[in-house]
Every structure is written in C-alpha cells, then in structure tokens.
mmCIF file of all heavy atoms in Angstrom:
data_model
loop_
_atom_site.group_PDB
_atom_site.id
_atom_site.type_symbol
_atom_site.label_atom_id
_atom_site.label_comp_id
_atom_site.label_asym_id
_atom_site.label_seq_id
_atom_site.Cartn_x
_atom_site.Cartn_y
_atom_site.Cartn_z
ATOM 1 N N ALA W 1 16.823 8.973 1.990
ATOM 2 C CA ALA W 1 17.312 8.793 3.366
ATOM 3 C C ALA W 1 16.753 9.862 4.296
ATOM 4 O O ALA W 1 16.443 9.588 5.462
ATOM 5 C CB ALA W 1 18.843 8.818 3.377
ATOM 6 N N LEU W 2 16.624 11.080 3.781
ATOM 7 C CA LEU W 2 16.078 12.160 4.596
ATOM 8 C C LEU W 2 14.620 11.882 4.958
ATOM 9 O O LEU W 2 14.203 12.108 6.102
ATOM 10 C CB LEU W 2 16.200 13.486 3.850
ATOM 11 C CG LEU W 2 16.131 14.763 4.692
ATOM 12 C CD1 LEU W 2 17.340 14.854 5.601
ATOM 13 C CD2 LEU W 2 16.060 15.990 3.790
ATOM 14 N N LEU W 3 13.857 11.395 3.989
ATOM 15 C CA LEU W 3 12.465 11.047 4.260
ATOM 16 C C LEU W 3 12.375 9.942 5.318
ATOM 17 O O LEU W 3 11.594 10.037 6.267
ATOM 18 C CB LEU W 3 11.777 10.601 2.974
ATOM 19 C CG LEU W 3 10.385 9.969 3.122
ATOM 20 C CD1 LEU W 3 9.402 10.950 3.765
ATOM 21 C CD2 LEU W 3 9.870 9.492 1.773
ATOM 22 N N LEU W 4 13.173 8.914 5.147
ATOM 23 C CA LEU W 4 13.141 7.790 6.089
ATOM 24 C C LEU W 4 13.557 8.230 7.492
ATOM 25 O O LEU W 4 13.039 7.718 8.491
ATOM 26 C CB LEU W 4 14.046 6.663 5.600
ATOM 27 C CG LEU W 4 13.584 5.945 4.324
ATOM 28 C CD1 LEU W 4 14.646 4.961 3.857
ATOM 29 C CD2 LEU W 4 12.266 5.226 4.560
ATOM 30 N N SER W 5 14.486 9.193 7.562
ATOM 31 C CA SER W 5 14.971 9.626 8.870
ATOM 32 C C SER W 5 13.915 10.385 9.669
ATOM 33 O O SER W 5 14.060 10.560 10.875
ATOM 34 C CB SER W 5 16.216 10.501 8.714
ATOM 35 O OG SER W 5 15.895 11.766 8.158
ATOM 36 N N THR W 6 12.858 10.829 8.991
ATOM 37 C CA THR W 6 11.773 11.501 9.715
ATOM 38 C C THR W 6 10.826 10.508 10.369
ATOM 39 O O THR W 6 9.963 10.900 11.166
ATOM 40 C CB THR W 6 10.954 12.397 8.769
ATOM 41 O OG1 THR W 6 10.294 11.587 7.778
ATOM 42 C CG2 THR W 6 11.843 13.415 8.077
ATOM 43 N N ALA W 7 10.954 9.229 10.011
ATOM 44 C CA ALA W 7 10.017 8.227 10.511
ATOM 45 C C ALA W 7 10.675 7.130 11.335
ATOM 46 O O ALA W 7 10.046 6.561 12.229
ATOM 47 C CB ALA W 7 9.257 7.592 9.345
ATOM 48 N N ILE W 8 11.953 6.820 11.041
ATOM 49 C CA ILE W 8 12.629 5.731 11.745
ATOM 50 C C ILE W 8 13.974 6.223 12.259
ATOM 51 O O ILE W 8 14.376 7.363 11.999
ATOM 52 C CB ILE W 8 12.803 4.494 10.842
ATOM 53 C CG1 ILE W 8 13.567 4.867 9.557
ATOM 54 C CG2 ILE W 8 11.457 3.898 10.492
ATOM 55 C CD1 ILE W 8 13.782 3.699 8.617
ATOM 56 N N SER W 9 14.692 5.370 12.956
ATOM 57 C CA SER W 9 15.963 5.756 13.573
ATOM 58 C C SER W 9 17.021 6.039 12.516
ATOM 59 O O SER W 9 16.914 5.561 11.373
ATOM 60 C CB SER W 9 16.444 4.643 14.507
ATOM 61 O OG SER W 9 16.815 3.501 13.758
ATOM 62 N N PRO W 10 18.078 6.788 12.883
ATOM 63 C CA PRO W 10 19.127 7.106 11.907
ATOM 64 C C PRO W 10 19.781 5.871 11.304
ATOM 65 O O PRO W 10 19.994 5.801 10.094
ATOM 66 C CB PRO W 10 20.128 7.924 12.738
ATOM 67 C CG PRO W 10 19.335 8.493 13.853
ATOM 68 C CD PRO W 10 18.288 7.488 14.166
ATOM 69 N N MET W 11 20.120 4.881 12.136
ATOM 70 C CA MET W 11 20.757 3.667 11.636
ATOM 71 C C MET W 11 19.827 2.917 10.691
ATOM 72 O O MET W 11 20.236 2.468 9.616
ATOM 73 C CB MET W 11 21.152 2.767 12.798
ATOM 74 C CG MET W 11 21.855 1.471 12.370
ATOM 75 S SD MET W 11 23.424 1.756 11.514
ATOM 76 C CE MET W 11 24.426 2.357 12.896
ATOM 77 N N ALA W 12 18.568 2.790 11.087
ATOM 78 C CA ALA W 12 17.605 2.065 10.254
ATOM 79 C C ALA W 12 17.393 2.759 8.913
ATOM 80 O O ALA W 12 17.281 2.097 7.871
ATOM 81 C CB ALA W 12 16.278 1.929 10.990
ATOM 82 N N SER W 13 17.336 4.091 8.911
ATOM 83 C CA SER W 13 17.126 4.812 7.651
ATOM 84 C C SER W 13 18.294 4.594 6.697
ATOM 85 O O SER W 13 18.091 4.437 5.487
ATOM 86 C CB SER W 13 16.936 6.306 7.919
ATOM 87 O OG SER W 13 18.112 6.889 8.451
ATOM 88 N N GLY W 14 19.529 4.544 7.234
ATOM 89 C CA GLY W 14 20.686 4.288 6.399
ATOM 90 C C GLY W 14 20.677 2.884 5.825
ATOM 91 O O GLY W 14 20.951 2.673 4.638
ATOM 92 N N VAL W 15 20.343 1.909 6.654
ATOM 93 C CA VAL W 15 20.305 0.512 6.208
ATOM 94 C C VAL W 15 19.246 0.317 5.129
ATOM 95 O O VAL W 15 19.487 -0.323 4.107
ATOM 96 C CB VAL W 15 20.033 -0.427 7.403
ATOM 97 C CG1 VAL W 15 19.772 -1.847 6.918
ATOM 98 C CG2 VAL W 15 21.214 -0.416 8.367
ATOM 99 N N VAL W 16 18.052 0.878 5.352
ATOM 100 C CA VAL W 16 16.966 0.728 4.384
ATOM 101 C C VAL W 16 17.325 1.408 3.063
ATOM 102 O O VAL W 16 17.074 0.861 1.977
ATOM 103 C CB VAL W 16 15.657 1.308 4.945
ATOM 104 C CG1 VAL W 16 14.568 1.323 3.866
ATOM 105 C CG2 VAL W 16 15.189 0.492 6.138
ATOM 106 N N THR W 17 17.936 2.579 3.136
ATOM 107 C CA THR W 17 18.311 3.300 1.910
ATOM 108 C C THR W 17 19.305 2.504 1.080
ATOM 109 O O THR W 17 19.127 2.333 -0.133
ATOM 110 C CB THR W 17 18.913 4.672 2.266
ATOM 111 O OG1 THR W 17 17.954 5.446 2.976
ATOM 112 C CG2 THR W 17 19.322 5.421 1.006
ATOM 113 N N VAL W 18 20.362 2.000 1.725
ATOM 114 C CA VAL W 18 21.364 1.215 0.997
ATOM 115 C C VAL W 18 20.753 -0.086 0.486
ATOM 116 O O VAL W 18 21.045 -0.539 -0.630
ATOM 117 C CB VAL W 18 22.581 0.926 1.896
ATOM 118 C CG1 VAL W 18 23.578 0.018 1.187
ATOM 119 C CG2 VAL W 18 23.263 2.229 2.297
ATOM 120 N N GLY W 19 19.877 -0.701 1.297
ATOM 121 C CA GLY W 19 19.211 -1.919 0.866
ATOM 122 C C GLY W 19 18.360 -1.711 -0.371
ATOM 123 O O GLY W 19 18.379 -2.526 -1.304
ATOM 124 N N LEU W 20 17.615 -0.611 -0.410
ATOM 125 C CA LEU W 20 16.794 -0.305 -1.581
ATOM 126 C C LEU W 20 17.656 0.017 -2.796
ATOM 127 O O LEU W 20 17.299 -0.340 -3.930
ATOM 128 C CB LEU W 20 15.859 0.872 -1.273
ATOM 129 C CG LEU W 20 14.731 0.577 -0.283
ATOM 130 C CD1 LEU W 20 13.959 1.857 0.037
ATOM 131 C CD2 LEU W 20 13.782 -0.477 -0.848
ATOM 132 N N PHE W 21 18.789 0.678 -2.577
ATOM 133 C CA PHE W 21 19.724 0.959 -3.670
ATOM 134 C C PHE W 21 20.198 -0.343 -4.303
ATOM 135 O O PHE W 21 20.193 -0.503 -5.532
ATOM 136 C CB PHE W 21 20.910 1.761 -3.129
ATOM 137 C CG PHE W 21 22.059 1.884 -4.091
ATOM 138 C CD1 PHE W 21 22.030 2.815 -5.115
ATOM 139 C CD2 PHE W 21 23.179 1.066 -3.971
ATOM 140 C CE1 PHE W 21 23.088 2.933 -6.001
ATOM 141 C CE2 PHE W 21 24.241 1.174 -4.849
ATOM 142 C CZ PHE W 21 24.198 2.107 -5.872
ATOM 143 N N GLY W 22 20.612 -1.299 -3.463
ATOM 144 C CA GLY W 22 21.074 -2.584 -3.979
ATOM 145 C C GLY W 22 19.963 -3.380 -4.634
ATOM 146 O O GLY W 22 20.154 -3.992 -5.691
ATOM 147 N N ALA W 23 18.778 -3.370 -4.023
ATOM 148 C CA ALA W 23 17.648 -4.124 -4.577
ATOM 149 C C ALA W 23 17.240 -3.583 -5.942
ATOM 150 O O ALA W 23 16.904 -4.350 -6.857
ATOM 151 C CB ALA W 23 16.466 -4.063 -3.613
ATOM 152 N N THR W 24 17.289 -2.250 -6.097
ATOM 153 C CA THR W 24 16.927 -1.654 -7.382
ATOM 154 C C THR W 24 17.932 -2.025 -8.462
ATOM 155 O O THR W 24 17.565 -2.286 -9.616
ATOM 156 C CB THR W 24 16.839 -0.122 -7.255
ATOM 157 O OG1 THR W 24 15.921 0.209 -6.214
ATOM 158 C CG2 THR W 24 16.369 0.509 -8.551
ATOM 159 N N TRP W 25 19.219 -2.059 -8.095
ATOM 160 C CA TRP W 25 20.244 -2.453 -9.069
ATOM 161 C C TRP W 25 20.047 -3.903 -9.502
ATOM 162 O O TRP W 25 20.124 -4.233 -10.695
ATOM 163 C CB TRP W 25 21.636 -2.271 -8.475
ATOM 164 C CG TRP W 25 22.721 -2.644 -9.454
ATOM 165 C CD1 TRP W 25 23.150 -1.911 -10.519
ATOM 166 C CD2 TRP W 25 23.488 -3.857 -9.456
ATOM 167 N NE1 TRP W 25 24.150 -2.582 -11.188
ATOM 168 C CE2 TRP W 25 24.376 -3.775 -10.559
ATOM 169 C CE3 TRP W 25 23.523 -4.980 -8.626
ATOM 170 C CZ2 TRP W 25 25.281 -4.797 -10.856
ATOM 171 C CZ3 TRP W 25 24.426 -5.994 -8.931
ATOM 172 C CH2 TRP W 25 25.295 -5.902 -10.028
ATOM 173 N N ILE W 26 19.774 -4.784 -8.543
ATOM 174 C CA ILE W 26 19.538 -6.195 -8.869
ATOM 175 C C ILE W 26 18.304 -6.336 -9.753
ATOM 176 O O ILE W 26 18.289 -7.114 -10.724
ATOM 177 C CB ILE W 26 19.379 -7.021 -7.580
ATOM 178 C CG1 ILE W 26 20.709 -7.067 -6.822
ATOM 179 C CG2 ILE W 26 18.902 -8.437 -7.893
ATOM 180 C CD1 ILE W 26 20.620 -7.708 -5.463
#
C-alpha cells in the first residue's frame, strides 16, 4: 500500500491493495 500510495491517490491505493489481497487468496 505504501508503494502504491507514491504513485496513485490514497483511496485508489487502498482499493488496489485490498483487491490484490482478495485476488491472491482466490
């Protein structure tokens, strides 16, 4: 999330992080 926050907005970095967490579990 910290890496993503350096490139995209705070909300987007949170959404992408949680999305990747769920996708990896699936």
